[in-house]
Amino acid sequence: MKLMFVGPPGAGKGTQAARIATRYGIPHISTGDMLREEVKNETPLGKEAKKYMDAGGYVPDEVIIAMVKERVSRPDAGKGFILDGFPRTDVQAQALEEFASLDAVLNIVVPDDKLIHRICGRRVCRDCGATYHESMLEDQKTCPKCKGSLYIRDDDKEETVKKRLSVYKEKTQPLIDYYAGKGILHDIVGSGGIDDITEAIAAVLDEVK
Ligand code: AMP
């Protein structure tokens, strides 16, 4: 199954994409995670991408397209994959059609006020990458799973979050209509419990298979 998860920042698409990838045994390909890895390793690509990411904008299409094209050509993606955070622009969607054909697009829908609350409280483990909301951590200063240190993503500051939401509406929202027109779009209510959302997605995928 070749799937794509789309949704505004903070919709929980990364969390859900990871869970569905494990359940179906296909790789979770997150362009945001791939870029953060490049930034962490201070590669030339990472240094270039960081400028756009910290400003809440998009990394140039040609950089992202080359990165995803290479990743989906690896053997583990042969029987399917989940794209998380790609495509995000019309140019990326057109490029994708040249090297892969999606079976379904899952659109995670969450109201704006919830998104800001979720992102601004997000804490990420530096070691295992798990994400938490500060309200669930109480006084814990380290990752409940692995005791790694927790940090706030540079692009999760409130001003940057507002910019990311407006860029999403302008550049990525139109893709939703594009995939609806192709008959492969499925809206998922993303404001309930994490397990309920995973089951709602799995129910849709059972129909797609
Ligand atoms: P995410 O973790 O998916 O929210 O991505 C974090 C940041 O990485 C975004 O705000 C963008 O700056 C950049 N990014 C991730 N995926 C893409 C993409 N497909 N196109 C352009 N920029 C991207």
Side-chain angles (χ1 to χ4, degrees):
M1 258 192 310
K2 294 178 177 148
L3 308 175
M4 196 272 258
F5 279 47
V6 66
K13 68 183 163 46
T15 304
Q16 294 299 334
R19 289 175 147 227
I20 295 292
T22 305
R23 188 182 288 205
Y24 290 85
I26 49 179
H28 170 206
I29 302 177
S30 157
T31 45
D33 286 351
M34 289 165 87
L35 290 169
R36 279 185 287 280
E37 193 60 27
E38 300 279 344
V39 171
K40 190 168 130 194
N41 294 333
E42 298 184 356
T43 64
L45 192 158
K47 285 182 189 161
E48 178 66 13
K50 188 170 171 24
K51 291 186 239 163
Y52 299 96
M53 294 166 80
D54 286 355
Y58 283 174
V59 172
D61 286 329
E62 59 277 14
V63 173
I64 298 284
I65 292 166
M67 201 172 79
V68 175
K69 193 171 177 186
E70 186 282 321
R71 180 64 189 86
V72 301
S73 71
R74 292 192 211 162
D76 67 334
K79 69 183 174 103
F81 49 75
I82 298 182
L83 295 177
D84 164 10
F86 177 92
R88 256 173 156 104
T89 65
D90 189 42
V91 172
Q92 293 176 17
Q94 298 306 324
L96 174 64
E97 308 237 310
E98 284 166 27
F99 58 85
S101 163
L102 295 173
D103 298 307
V105 173
L106 287 305
N107 175 31
I108 318 284
V109 183
V110 177
D112 272 10
D113 54 339
K114 277 211 168 141
L115 296 173
I116 300 206
H117 170 79
R118 279 189 190 178
I119 309 180
C120 294
R122 180 154 64 187
R123 301 291 178 268
V124 186
C125 174
R126 216 173 274 286
D127 293 344
C128 74
T131 57
Y132 305 94
H133 193 271
E134 60 169 357
S135 59
M136 296 170 66
L137 289 165
E138 296 171 351
D139 279 340
Q140 292 181 82
K141 298 276 181 267
T142 54
C143 174
K145 274 195 205 146
C146 77
K147 302 284 168 228
S149 63
L150 299 172
Y151 74 103
I152 302 175
R153 278 169 46 173
D154 284 340
D155 58 349
D156 279 352
K157 315 266 156 65
E158 189 163 344
E159 273 322 295
T160 315
V161 170
K162 287 187 179 150
K163 166 86 175 148
R164 285 166 66 201
L165 279 174
S166 83
V167 172
Y168 176 82
K169 283 185 186 153
E170 183 202 338
K171 297 195 170 159
T172 304
Q173 198 101 39
L175 289 187
I176 291 169
D177 297 335
Y178 173 72
Y179 288 115
K182 289 171 83 81
I184 58 169
L185 185 83
H186 304 270
D187 284 342
I188 302 288
V189 177
S191 44
I194 292 183
D195 290 339
D196 293 342
I197 300 167
T198 308
E199 293 316 315
I201 297 170
V204 166
L205 296 181
D206 285 344
E207 300 290 311
V208 171
K209 272 197 287 187

